[in-house]
Amino acid sequence: GVDASLDSTAQLLQWVERDAVAVASSTTALMAAVREFLGNATHATQAHLDQYERFAHANSETTEDSVRSARRFVSSCTSLHKKINDLEPLAAHVKALRRMVEQLEAQASKIL
């Protein structure tokens, strides 16, 4: 009785101990895999963040350059528009002079 009970209890304790060692071993392996995965994920995330930061910075510079170019273009167009407006009276005078020259030519043709 008692010896058999002690033997089965001892054997049960050995199985529990063996299973505990197996669980500890697999838990250690799992934690190592998780640690490696997190290290890789952290590295990849940091790399992506660095790349995003470089892109955002480069894109920001490109956008600023584009806006500066667009403003220069608008400024040039505005200046050209003002100059054209300044030339409109001159163009009207030239047209009037041309009509006068044509009339003069027509009268000269009649005389000759």
Side-chain angles (χ1 to χ4, degrees):
V2 173
D3 286 334
S5 178
L6 285 174
D7 285 340
S8 71
T9 302
Q11 190 174 8
L12 211 64
L13 282 173
Q14 286 176 350
W15 289 342
V16 169
E17 183 181 359
R18 187 186 64 223
D19 288 346
V21 168
V23 167
S25 176
S26 60
T27 301
T28 301
L30 175 64
M31 288 298 120
V34 167
R35 194 171 25 254
E36 181 182 357
F37 172 77
L38 288 176
N40 290 340
T42 301
H43 177 72
T45 301
Q46 187 61 48
H48 286 126
L49 287 173
D50 291 344
Q51 188 174 11
Y52 175 77
E53 183 180 5
R54 284 192 300 275
F55 169 77
H57 181 70
N59 192 37
S60 170
E61 288 178 2
T62 302
T63 302
E64 288 173 8
D65 289 346
S66 178
V67 168
R68 275 193 292 276
S69 295
R71 285 186 177 149
R72 279 194 304 269
F73 176 72
V74 168
S75 177
S76 297
C77 288
T78 302
S79 296
L80 180 62
H81 180 72
K82 286 178 183 176
K83 288 183 183 197
I84 287 173
N85 284 340
D86 292 344
L87 292 176
E88 282 182 10
L90 179 61
H93 287 300
V94 169
K95 285 180 184 177
L97 285 172
R98 182 177 176 121
R99 278 193 300 271
M100 286 200 246
V101 168
E102 288 172 354
Q103 288 173 355
L104 231 134
E105 285 176 343
Q107 287 179 0
S109 293
K110 287 181 186 176
I111 295 175
L112 298 175

